[in-house]
Each structure stands twice: as C-alpha cells, then as structure tokens.
C-alpha cells in the first residue's frame, strides 16, 4: 500500500488542540502525510479566542495552487474559513484540481462561544462548499445555523435535519449528536436513498474536549483513502477520537478546556 497525502485547509491554534495543528496530529496518528493551507491566523488557547486575522483570499489561492501543482492530494479536510472571499477561493480550487474525498467541517463557533465564521459568510458556505463536499460534519448548532432552524432535540429530529442538509448538495452528512444529553453520544451518517447509520460511543467524562470536531473530521479524511467506504472511515475515526478523549486527562495543557490526546497509541 502506498502513502496517502491529506490536506487541511483551516485556521491555526497556537495551543495545538484544534485547527491545522490538530489536523496534522490526527493525519499522522492515522497513517496519512499531512499538508496544510492556512486560512486564518487565530490567537486562541484553551480558554478562548482572543483575535482572528483572516488570510487574504488571493494568498489562500496562492497557497493552494502552489501546493496542488506539485503534490498529489488523496483527501481534503476543510475547517475554519473566516469569510466569503476565502470560501470562494477554496471552492474554485476544489473545482480546478478535481479534489476528492472532501470532508467539510463547517466551523462557525468555537467551544468557548467565539464566532469563527462571519455571519454574512454562512450563505457562501451553503452555496459554494456544501455542494462540493463528499461529507459534511456539522454538530447540532452548526446544522441549525446552516438550515436557519432550531437545534434538533432528539435522534429523529437529527435525521430530519441531516436529510434537509443533503438537499443543499453534499454527497453525505454526518450529523454529530454530542450536544444531546445522555450517557452515550450518537452521530448519524445520512446519504440519499439509504437508511441512516448511527455511530454510538460512550460519553467520556472529561472537560478536555478542545478540538474534538477538528479531530474527528481530520481523522475521517485521513482514513477515507485507506478504508473500503465512508461508513468504515467514520467508524474507525470515531473509535480513535473516543480513545483520544479517554486519554485526554493525561495531558497538562492550559487552564481551560484542554486538548484530546492525539498520540494516545504512542505515549
């Protein structure tokens, strides 16, 4: 089996728990070679976001074209995009280079409550990137934002919202149920003309959950070229994240919500 090159298009996290830093760790832990295109410089840590400095769209384009003219990319994880211009730059590159295995994590608000996507850019996310995604991985607040609705309150409403998201164009939706109550956390994988596939894992009792969304989507992207199908990649990525959460308290990073342990299998 050859090597696989995975691209993260996302913002930074100096504390290393989210953004491109988390993506690179997950890619590496799961056997992928990580590459990156930076969309925003973010001053953040485990306690919150202090400032966001978006990268100009033309420089995002320059990063993408320079990389893609040289390196074969087997899967793409798209995270924080900051504004409409950056979204359009990424959409153009997806088309021009016919990139595949595109996983879109629609990052809008950090766990600290800080907004990471300009409110006026949500429509661009809907119309430009959702139709180009092989898999979109929103949590319940993000799905509600994309649909202009209230958050789903149970698994039945989750499936209904996921199917409405499908109508916006992505090939598949993985709607994450971590915001629901209960001892387990269930995510639903939904695609057209097929029954929803649930992925249930124990809810790990830790406050150190910084970067869980980034980590899950990047883990899926790393595994897509290595697994027989999307369901298998999601299953194994969720198992990886659950163990990373279970081992998160072994790390001592920051005073707030610390990161998950990406390299739990090694140290």
């Amino acid at each position: 089996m050859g090597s696989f090159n995975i691209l993260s298009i996302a913002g930074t996290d100096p504390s290393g728990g989210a953004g491109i830093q988390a993506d690179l760790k997950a890619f590496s832990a799961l056997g992928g070679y990580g590459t990156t295109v930076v969309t925003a410089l973010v001053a953040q840590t485990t306690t919150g976001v202090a400032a966001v400095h978006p990268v100009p769209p033309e420089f995002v384009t320059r990063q993408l074209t320079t990389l893609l003219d040289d390196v074969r990319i087997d899967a793409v994880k798209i995270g924080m995009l900051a504004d409409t211009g950056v979204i359009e730059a990424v959409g153009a590159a997806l088309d021009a280079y016919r990139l595949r295995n595109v996983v879109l994590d629609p990052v809008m608000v950090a766990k600290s409550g800080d907004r990471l996507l300009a409110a006026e850019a949500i429509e661009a996310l809907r119309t430009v990137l959702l139709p180009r995604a092989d898999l979109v991985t929103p949590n319940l607040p993000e799905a509600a934002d994309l649909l202009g609705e209230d958050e789903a309150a149970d698994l039945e409403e989750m499936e209904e919202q996921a199917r409405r998201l499908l109508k916006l164009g992505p090939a598949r939706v993985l709607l994450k149920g971590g915001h629901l109550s209960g001892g387990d956390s269930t995510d639903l994988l939904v695609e057209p003309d097929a029954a929803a596939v649930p992925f249930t894992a124990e809810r790990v009792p830790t406050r150190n959950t910084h970067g869980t969304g980034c980590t899950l989507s990047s883990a899926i992207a790393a595994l897509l070229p290595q697994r027989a199908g999307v369901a298998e990649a999601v299953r194994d990525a969720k198992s990886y994240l659950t163990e990373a959460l279970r081992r998160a308290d072994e790390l001592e990073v920051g005073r707030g919500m610390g990161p998950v342990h990406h390299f739990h299998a090694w140290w």
Side-chain angles (χ1 to χ4, degrees):
M1 182 178 67
S3 63
F4 298 99
N5 302 324
I6 320 298
L7 168 60
S8 168
I9 304 173
T12 65
D13 175 9
S15 74
I20 59 170
Q21 285 90 335
D23 294 346
L24 287 172
K25 291 172 186 176
F27 296 163
S28 299
L30 293 167
Y33 178 84
T35 64
T36 62
V37 164
V38 179
T39 59
L41 304 176
V42 185
Q44 70 168 318
T45 185
T46 63
T47 58
V49 176
V52 175
H53 182 68
V55 175
E58 57 272 19
F59 194 72
V60 172
T61 297
R62 178 60 67 88
Q63 291 179 77
L64 284 162
T65 56
T66 302
L67 172 69
L68 296 170
D69 284 342
D70 179 49
V71 178
R72 183 198 76 247
I73 296 298
D74 300 299
V76 182
K77 176 267 172 80
I78 302 173
M80 178 186 174
L81 296 170
D83 59 34
T84 298
V86 170
I87 290 170
E88 291 174 345
V90 171
L94 294 180
D95 286 350
Y97 291 89
R98 299 181 182 179
L99 296 173
R100 57 199 176 92
N101 293 324
V102 176
V103 179
L104 172 62
D105 185 23
V107 177
M108 298 179 183
V109 179
K111 273 198 173 60
S112 57
D114 299 286
R115 179 161 281 280
L116 298 174
L117 178 71
E120 62 273 14
I122 293 175
E123 182 60 23
L125 194 64
R126 287 190 197 105
T127 59
V128 176
L129 289 186
L130 259 68
R132 292 170 168 82
D134 295 296
L135 178 68
V136 60
T137 63
N139 60 28
L140 297 183
E142 290 160 351
D145 255 9
L146 286 167
L147 292 167
E149 300 177 358
D150 293 332
E151 285 184 36
D154 54 36
L155 286 176
E156 183 178 351
E157 289 185 9
M158 276 180 64
E159 181 173 353
E160 291 170 356
Q161 286 201 336
R163 295 204 180 277
R164 284 195 287 278
L165 284 171
L166 279 178
K167 293 179 180 177
L168 297 177
R172 300 164 196 84
V173 174
L174 180 70
L175 185 49
K176 300 177 293 190
H179 285 74
L180 295 181
S181 59
D184 293 328
S185 173
T186 298
D187 303 337
L188 286 181
L189 178 63
V190 177
E191 52 189 317
D193 306 319
V197 180
F199 296 89
T200 301
E202 65 178 286
R203 194 179 295 276
V204 179
T206 178
R207 68 181 295 204
N208 295 322
T209 59
H210 181 56
T212 51
C214 299
T215 297
L216 180 62
S217 56
S218 55
I220 295 169
L223 291 170
L224 278 175
Q226 306 182 64
R227 297 294 185 268
V230 175
E232 291 86 350
V234 171
R235 176 199 65 205
D236 292 350
K238 193 165 172 72
S239 295
Y240 164 76
L241 175 59
T242 298
E243 188 61 24
L245 281 161
R246 194 178 290 124
R247 299 278 299 277
D249 290 355
E250 297 175 16
L251 302 176
E252 298 177 5
V253 182
R255 294 177 289 105
M257 288 183 291
V260 304
H261 193 337
H262 293 92
F263 293 112
H264 54 77
W266 287 270
W267 53 274

